[in-house]
Amino acid sequence: MALAESVDRDANRALRARFDEVYGDYQRLRSGLDELQGRLAELRVTERSEDGQVTATAGARGELISVELHPSVFHDRDAKALSRKITATVHQAGAAAVAATQELVAGYLPAGSGATDFLRTGDFGSLLGRADAVLRRGE
């Protein structure tokens, strides 16, 4: 009987240690969420066209915050070229903002998590891969 009790105590200690580790990870993640929300609300990314005539600023979701035009854009009366330049600069700012958001959020997630990979790649396979692996082990 003493051997079985010893094994049970060792198993309980191991389970408790694993629980403490997982709970600690959760607490760190949870405590960082308020900070993350604040940082995301403040995130702004600004991009300029190659010639510096167009400046676009985007927020964390890639949404357009502002567009500024240098007065020199009015010297050239090619509206289509200006339109293309504005569109390209806005797209650059949006893409850069989304990338910055992904990096910021990934810093608050556990390393190696499927969610971190998903944020970087947009690949649902990485998001669901861990769950699939766990389910396969349970079969």
Side-chain angles (χ1 to χ4, degrees), residues 2-35:
L3 180 60
E5 288 176 9
S6 174
V7 169
D8 286 345
R9 277 194 300 272
D10 291 344
N12 284 339
R13 272 191 225 111
L15 284 172
R16 180 65 187 182
R18 178 66 181 134
F19 173 80
D20 289 343
E21 179 185 336
V22 169
Y23 186 70
D25 289 345
Y26 167 78
Q27 288 292 89
R28 282 188 291 282
L29 179 63
R30 182 66 189 105
S31 68
L33 287 181
D34 290 336
E35 178 186 351

Side-chain angles (χ1 to χ4, degrees), residues 119-133:
L119 283 171
R120 289 197 172 109
T121 65
D123 176 18
F124 279 104
S126 64
L127 182 61
L128 301 175
R130 265 187 148 185
D132 290 344

Side-chain angles (χ1 to χ4, degrees), residues 13-84:
R13 272 191 225 111
L15 284 172
R16 180 65 187 182
R18 178 66 181 134
F19 173 80
D20 289 343
E21 179 185 336
V22 169
Y23 186 70
D25 289 345
Y26 167 78
Q27 288 292 89
R28 282 188 291 282
L29 179 63
R30 182 66 189 105
S31 68
L33 287 181
D34 290 336
E35 178 186 351
L36 174 60
Q37 286 178 328
R39 291 180 71 184
L40 288 172
E42 295 171 1
L43 183 77
R44 300 290 182 269
V45 175
T46 300
E47 292 286 328
R48 287 181 178 72
S49 61
E50 287 184 21
D51 60 8
Q53 291 183 328
V54 178
T55 302
T57 300
R61 293 183 316 257
E63 75 279 13
L64 182 63
I65 303 293
S66 68
V67 173
E68 296 176 17
L69 303 175
H70 189 274
S72 65
V73 301
F74 300 108
H75 298 300
D76 183 8
R77 303 216 181 233
D78 185 350
K80 287 185 180 184
L82 177 58
S83 177
R84 286 190 302 272

Side-chain angles (χ1 to χ4, degrees), residues 104-121:
L104 182 62
V105 171
Y108 285 85
L109 296 174
S113 73
T116 303
D117 293 340
F118 172 72
L119 283 171
R120 289 197 172 109
T121 65

